[in-house]
Amino acid sequence: FRERFVGGRLPAVTLETAEEMRGQGRTRALTDNFIEVDLEATIPANRNIQAGITEVRSEGLAGRVAA
């Protein structure tokens, strides 16, 4: 199911992210269809973003903030 999102963009909202993860330059986000995304960025919680999806992981998706 999640493989079909790779290479695309999904609307998401950033979540409170653990200090350890933020220290690695990453942020958790949740898409509008409730899939968790590990973003390669440090963004405050509760921000609406467009996530460019780069890969599928066992716990969700990985991506970057899309311009």
Side-chain angles (χ1 to χ4, degrees), residues 33-51:
N33 55 351
F34 304 102
I35 300 172
E36 195 166 313
V37 182
D38 180 355
L39 296 170
E40 294 178 14
T42 304
I43 305 167
N46 301 315
R47 302 291 169 99
N48 291 312
I49 56 118
Q50 287 288 317

Side-chain angles (χ1 to χ4, degrees), residues 50-64:
Q50 287 288 317
I53 307 304
T54 58
E55 68 179 288
V56 175
R57 294 187 179 165
S58 61
E59 65 280 355
L61 299 170
R64 297 184 175 101

Side-chain angles (χ1 to χ4, degrees), residues 24-36:
Q24 297 171 357
R26 297 174 19 228
T27 301
R28 289 176 46 230
L30 192 64
T31 69
D32 63 347
N33 55 351
F34 304 102
I35 300 172
E36 195 166 313

